[in-house]
């Protein structure tokens, strides 16, 4: 006796925009899908070039959560493979978990294919490493409070800013004045470098550098209010530092340390 149809929903990270930033796994999942649900306003249409000609294509911009779950119910009953395409990486601000929870209730199999986050793409466009030795060794991913989704206590931008490390601030361009105030209240100097990126990796992308002191006027000058990411922190213009990983005084399983260089590192209190 043949098994009953089971179906499957795969949540696919489409990356920040450019169709060639899809992973190979993501392209394969899209190519095998019977139904593709995608966010047309956030994902480039070229991504659909991977879909089969006979695949059903649905734009999630016109659908509520209930509408999408109805597709998953149909997939379960008919044994369909669904590719649910999200912009960026599904683990960040994608509304993914609520869909995974509904799928678990339905009993349909799920999979997540990670994608390139926009903060990684913006760092690449700016040609900056976000974790610079002796400057910043952490990256905070956050957004302003006061929007559609309230922030939990202690997660305000000003609280994270107190660390003085690298921050990637999403979903906040429409309130750039508030963002500046909270960054300064948290302790960043006015001259702290900022990278402002609009539609990163899309044909119309805009990437500009400024400081916290000029952030608000930069946003207003370019009339930005959505699809904009801010990278903030001293690592964005730091230089003259060196990673211990590739220092001749550092050793690991594949490389021996130079004794003199190792003593020099130890004199600075470094672990070699």
């Amino acid at each position: 006796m043949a098994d009953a149809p089971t179906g499957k929903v795969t949540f696919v990270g489409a990356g920040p925009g450019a169709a060639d930033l899809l992973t190979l796994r993501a392209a394969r999942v899209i190519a095998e899908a019977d139904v593709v649900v995608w966010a047309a306003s956030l994902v480039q249409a070229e991504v659909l070039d991977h879909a089969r000609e006979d695949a059903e294509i649905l734009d999630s911009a016109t659908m509520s959560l209930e509408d999408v779950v109805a597709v998953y119910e149909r997939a379960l009953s008919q044994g369909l493979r669904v590719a649910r395409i999200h912009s960026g990486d599904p683990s960040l601000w994608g509304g993914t978990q609520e869909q995974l929870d509904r799928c678990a209730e339905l009993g349909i199999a799920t999979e997540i294919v990670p994608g390139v986050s926009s903060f990684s793409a913006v760092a690449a466009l700016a040609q900056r490493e976000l974790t610079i030795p002796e400057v910043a060794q952490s990256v905070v991913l956050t957004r302003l409070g006061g929007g559609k989704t309230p922030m939990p206590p202690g997660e305000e931008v000003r609280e994270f800013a107190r660390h003085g490390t690298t921050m990637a601030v999403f979903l906040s361009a429409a309130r750039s004045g508030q963002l500046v105030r909270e960054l300064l209240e948290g302790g960043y100097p006015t001259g702290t470098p900022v990278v402002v990126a609009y539609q990163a990796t899309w044909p119309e992308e805009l990437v500009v550098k400024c400081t916290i002191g000029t952030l608000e006027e930069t946003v207003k000058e370019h009339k930005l209010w959505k699809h904009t990411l801010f990278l903030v922190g001293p690592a964005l213009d730091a230089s003259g530092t060196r990673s211990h990983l590739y220092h001749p005084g550092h050793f690991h399983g594949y490389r021996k340390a130079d004794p003199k260089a190792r003593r020099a590192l130890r004199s600075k209190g470094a672990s070699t």
Side-chain angles (χ1 to χ4, degrees), residues 143-147 151 156-158 172-185 215-216:
R143 50 172 281 270
L144 271 179
M151 296 296 283
E156 294 81 8
V157 164
R158 67 172 63 85
S172 303
R175 290 169 290 143
S176 57
Q178 179 188 345
L179 176 59
V180 169
R181 288 193 301 274
E182 294 205 23
L183 291 171
L184 294 176
E185 289 169 2
L215 187 155
E216 185 175 7

mmCIF file of all heavy atoms in Angstrom, residues 143-147 151 156-158 172-185 215-216:
data_model
loop_
_atom_site.group_PDB
_atom_site.id
_atom_site.type_symbol
_atom_site.label_atom_id
_atom_site.label_comp_id
_atom_site.label_asym_id
_atom_site.label_seq_id
_atom_site.Cartn_x
_atom_site.Cartn_y
_atom_site.Cartn_z
ATOM 1 N N ARG A 143 17.117 46.648 15.885
ATOM 2 C CA ARG A 143 16.285 47.643 15.216
ATOM 3 C C ARG A 143 15.759 48.600 16.267
ATOM 4 O O ARG A 143 15.809 48.306 17.476
ATOM 5 C CB ARG A 143 15.112 46.972 14.496
ATOM 6 C CG ARG A 143 14.335 45.996 15.357
ATOM 7 C CD ARG A 143 13.074 45.487 14.694
ATOM 8 N NE ARG A 143 12.013 46.457 14.782
ATOM 9 C CZ ARG A 143 11.132 46.517 15.792
ATOM 10 N NH1 ARG A 143 11.203 45.664 16.805
ATOM 11 N NH2 ARG A 143 10.191 47.423 15.810
ATOM 12 N N LEU A 144 15.284 49.737 15.814
ATOM 13 C CA LEU A 144 14.700 50.708 16.736
ATOM 14 C C LEU A 144 13.406 50.189 17.342
ATOM 15 O O LEU A 144 12.641 49.486 16.677
ATOM 16 C CB LEU A 144 14.393 52.021 16.018
ATOM 17 C CG LEU A 144 15.479 53.093 15.958
ATOM 18 C CD1 LEU A 144 14.954 54.287 15.173
ATOM 19 C CD2 LEU A 144 15.947 53.519 17.344
ATOM 20 N N GLY A 145 13.148 50.563 18.579
ATOM 21 C CA GLY A 145 11.848 50.283 19.173
ATOM 22 C C GLY A 145 10.829 51.305 18.702
ATOM 23 O O GLY A 145 11.148 52.283 18.031
ATOM 24 N N GLY A 146 9.567 51.062 19.030
ATOM 25 C CA GLY A 146 8.513 52.011 18.680
ATOM 26 C C GLY A 146 7.855 51.764 17.350
ATOM 27 O O GLY A 146 6.979 52.517 16.937
ATOM 28 N N GLY A 147 8.242 50.698 16.653
ATOM 29 C CA GLY A 147 7.617 50.386 15.375
ATOM 30 C C GLY A 147 6.420 49.466 15.554
ATOM 31 O O GLY A 147 5.770 49.455 16.595
ATOM 32 N N MET A 151 9.824 46.456 21.341
ATOM 33 C CA MET A 151 11.077 45.841 21.747
ATOM 34 C C MET A 151 10.978 45.331 23.177
ATOM 35 O O MET A 151 10.399 46.005 24.038
ATOM 36 C CB MET A 151 12.215 46.863 21.650
ATOM 37 C CG MET A 151 12.495 47.354 20.251
ATOM 38 S SD MET A 151 13.087 46.045 19.158
ATOM 39 C CE MET A 151 14.778 45.907 19.693
ATOM 40 N N GLU A 156 16.631 48.259 23.759
ATOM 41 C CA GLU A 156 16.633 49.523 23.032
ATOM 42 C C GLU A 156 18.018 49.759 22.431
ATOM 43 O O GLU A 156 19.041 49.296 22.959
ATOM 44 C CB GLU A 156 16.269 50.688 23.953
ATOM 45 C CG GLU A 156 14.836 50.653 24.477
ATOM 46 C CD GLU A 156 14.666 49.721 25.665
ATOM 47 O OE1 GLU A 156 15.685 49.216 26.178
ATOM 48 O OE2 GLU A 156 13.506 49.498 26.079
ATOM 49 N N VAL A 157 18.061 50.492 21.330
ATOM 50 C CA VAL A 157 19.330 50.793 20.665
ATOM 51 C C VAL A 157 20.310 51.444 21.635
ATOM 52 O O VAL A 157 21.501 51.122 21.646
ATOM 53 C CB VAL A 157 19.094 51.682 19.426
ATOM 54 C CG1 VAL A 157 20.406 52.315 18.954
ATOM 55 C CG2 VAL A 157 18.475 50.870 18.300
ATOM 56 N N ARG A 158 19.823 52.354 22.486
ATOM 57 C CA ARG A 158 20.726 53.039 23.420
ATOM 58 C C ARG A 158 21.405 52.060 24.375
ATOM 59 O O ARG A 158 22.545 52.276 24.793
ATOM 60 C CB ARG A 158 19.973 54.113 24.208
ATOM 61 C CG ARG A 158 18.926 53.614 25.175
ATOM 62 C CD ARG A 158 18.372 54.744 26.034
ATOM 63 N NE ARG A 158 17.692 55.731 25.220
ATOM 64 C CZ ARG A 158 16.417 55.624 24.847
ATOM 65 N NH1 ARG A 158 15.697 54.556 25.195
ATOM 66 N NH2 ARG A 158 15.860 56.552 24.128
ATOM 67 N N SER A 172 14.931 50.922 10.395
ATOM 68 C CA SER A 172 14.923 52.131 11.215
ATOM 69 C C SER A 172 15.103 53.431 10.440
ATOM 70 O O SER A 172 15.208 54.493 11.048
ATOM 71 C CB SER A 172 16.021 52.029 12.293
ATOM 72 O OG SER A 172 15.852 50.874 13.088
ATOM 73 N N ALA A 173 15.151 53.378 9.118
ATOM 74 C CA ALA A 173 15.443 54.578 8.336
ATOM 75 C C ALA A 173 14.368 55.654 8.469
ATOM 76 O O ALA A 173 14.660 56.850 8.397
ATOM 77 C CB ALA A 173 15.632 54.218 6.865
ATOM 78 N N ALA A 174 13.127 55.243 8.680
ATOM 79 C CA ALA A 174 12.037 56.222 8.758
ATOM 80 C C ALA A 174 12.116 57.066 10.025
ATOM 81 O O ALA A 174 11.444 58.090 10.121
ATOM 82 C CB ALA A 174 10.685 55.518 8.684
ATOM 83 N N ARG A 175 12.935 56.624 10.997
ATOM 84 C CA ARG A 175 13.067 57.376 12.256
ATOM 85 C C ARG A 175 14.542 57.630 12.553
ATOM 86 O O ARG A 175 15.054 57.325 13.622
ATOM 87 C CB ARG A 175 12.396 56.584 13.388
ATOM 88 C CG ARG A 175 10.873 56.547 13.258
ATOM 89 C CD ARG A 175 10.242 55.559 14.219
ATOM 90 N NE ARG A 175 10.555 54.192 13.832
ATOM 91 C CZ ARG A 175 10.791 53.208 14.709
ATOM 92 N NH1 ARG A 175 10.762 53.441 15.992
ATOM 93 N NH2 ARG A 175 11.045 51.987 14.285
ATOM 94 N N SER A 176 15.219 58.198 11.560
ATOM 95 C CA SER A 176 16.667 58.394 11.683
ATOM 96 C C SER A 176 17.030 59.352 12.815
ATOM 97 O O SER A 176 18.079 59.208 13.445
ATOM 98 C CB SER A 176 17.245 58.903 10.360
ATOM 99 O OG SER A 176 16.614 60.104 9.957
ATOM 100 N N GLY A 177 16.165 60.336 13.096
ATOM 101 C CA GLY A 177 16.434 61.251 14.197
ATOM 102 C C GLY A 177 16.461 60.526 15.530
ATOM 103 O O GLY A 177 17.352 60.753 16.369
ATOM 104 N N GLN A 178 15.493 59.647 15.746
ATOM 105 C CA GLN A 178 15.463 58.841 16.964
ATOM 106 C C GLN A 178 16.683 57.936 17.045
ATOM 107 O O GLN A 178 17.276 57.757 18.121
ATOM 108 C CB GLN A 178 14.188 57.988 17.005
ATOM 109 C CG GLN A 178 14.097 57.093 18.249
ATOM 110 C CD GLN A 178 12.931 56.106 18.192
ATOM 111 O OE1 GLN A 178 12.025 56.263 17.376
ATOM 112 N NE2 GLN A 178 12.962 55.099 19.043
ATOM 113 N N LEU A 179 17.086 57.369 15.903
ATOM 114 C CA LEU A 179 18.253 56.497 15.887
ATOM 115 C C LEU A 179 19.499 57.256 16.327
ATOM 116 O O LEU A 179 20.274 56.768 17.165
ATOM 117 C CB LEU A 179 18.451 55.924 14.482
ATOM 118 C CG LEU A 179 19.699 55.055 14.282
ATOM 119 C CD1 LEU A 179 19.688 53.854 15.221
ATOM 120 C CD2 LEU A 179 19.807 54.607 12.823
ATOM 121 N N VAL A 180 19.693 58.443 15.796
ATOM 122 C CA VAL A 180 20.857 59.255 16.180
ATOM 123 C C VAL A 180 20.841 59.543 17.674
ATOM 124 O O VAL A 180 21.861 59.398 18.365
ATOM 125 C CB VAL A 180 20.885 60.567 15.371
ATOM 126 C CG1 VAL A 180 21.927 61.527 15.950
ATOM 127 C CG2 VAL A 180 21.179 60.282 13.906
ATOM 128 N N ARG A 181 19.696 59.939 18.198
ATOM 129 C CA ARG A 181 19.604 60.262 19.631
ATOM 130 C C ARG A 181 19.980 59.053 20.486
ATOM 131 O O ARG A 181 20.732 59.174 21.458
ATOM 132 C CB ARG A 181 18.179 60.723 19.977
ATOM 133 C CG ARG A 181 17.830 62.110 19.455
ATOM 134 C CD ARG A 181 16.548 62.637 20.088
ATOM 135 N NE ARG A 181 15.391 61.776 19.840
ATOM 136 C CZ ARG A 181 14.640 61.861 18.746
ATOM 137 N NH1 ARG A 181 14.926 62.744 17.793
ATOM 138 N NH2 ARG A 181 13.587 61.064 18.596
ATOM 139 N N GLU A 182 19.459 57.887 20.144
ATOM 140 C CA GLU A 182 19.733 56.715 20.962
ATOM 141 C C GLU A 182 21.188 56.265 20.855
ATOM 142 O O GLU A 182 21.782 55.805 21.841
ATOM 143 C CB GLU A 182 18.778 55.576 20.585
ATOM 144 C CG GLU A 182 17.326 55.883 20.934
ATOM 145 C CD GLU A 182 16.499 54.620 21.135
ATOM 146 O OE1 GLU A 182 17.072 53.557 21.431
ATOM 147 O OE2 GLU A 182 15.260 54.721 20.995
ATOM 148 N N LEU A 183 21.774 56.382 19.669
ATOM 149 C CA LEU A 183 23.187 56.032 19.521
ATOM 150 C C LEU A 183 24.067 56.938 20.381
ATOM 151 O O LEU A 183 24.997 56.477 21.044
ATOM 152 C CB LEU A 183 23.605 56.127 18.049
ATOM 153 C CG LEU A 183 23.019 55.071 17.105
ATOM 154 C CD1 LEU A 183 23.341 55.422 15.657
ATOM 155 C CD2 LEU A 183 23.538 53.677 17.438
ATOM 156 N N LEU A 184 23.751 58.222 20.376
ATOM 157 C CA LEU A 184 24.532 59.176 21.166
ATOM 158 C C LEU A 184 24.282 58.987 22.658
ATOM 159 O O LEU A 184 25.214 59.052 23.475
ATOM 160 C CB LEU A 184 24.202 60.611 20.748
ATOM 161 C CG LEU A 184 24.617 60.992 19.315
ATOM 162 C CD1 LEU A 184 24.148 62.417 18.992
ATOM 163 C CD2 LEU A 184 26.133 60.875 19.139
ATOM 164 N N GLU A 185 23.042 58.743 23.030
ATOM 165 C CA GLU A 185 22.721 58.506 24.442
ATOM 166 C C GLU A 185 23.436 57.269 24.970
ATOM 167 O O GLU A 185 23.783 57.191 26.154
ATOM 168 C CB GLU A 185 21.205 58.351 24.622
ATOM 169 C CG GLU A 185 20.434 59.645 24.451
ATOM 170 C CD GLU A 185 18.926 59.405 24.379
ATOM 171 O OE1 GLU A 185 18.506 58.236 24.503
ATOM 172 O OE2 GLU A 185 18.175 60.369 24.163
ATOM 173 N N LEU A 215 24.287 61.410 10.099
ATOM 174 C CA LEU A 215 23.416 60.316 9.667
ATOM 175 C C LEU A 215 22.034 60.810 9.258
ATOM 176 O O LEU A 215 21.528 60.473 8.184
ATOM 177 C CB LEU A 215 23.300 59.279 10.789
ATOM 178 C CG LEU A 215 22.569 57.965 10.490
ATOM 179 C CD1 LEU A 215 23.067 56.871 11.430
ATOM 180 C CD2 LEU A 215 21.060 58.088 10.641
ATOM 181 N N GLU A 216 21.409 61.620 10.096
ATOM 182 C CA GLU A 216 20.044 62.055 9.811
ATOM 183 C C GLU A 216 19.975 62.863 8.523
ATOM 184 O O GLU A 216 19.079 62.651 7.681
ATOM 185 C CB GLU A 216 19.489 62.864 10.978
ATOM 186 C CG GLU A 216 18.020 63.248 10.796
ATOM 187 C CD GLU A 216 17.427 63.948 12.006
ATOM 188 O OE1 GLU A 216 18.186 64.274 12.951
ATOM 189 O OE2 GLU A 216 16.208 64.173 12.015
#
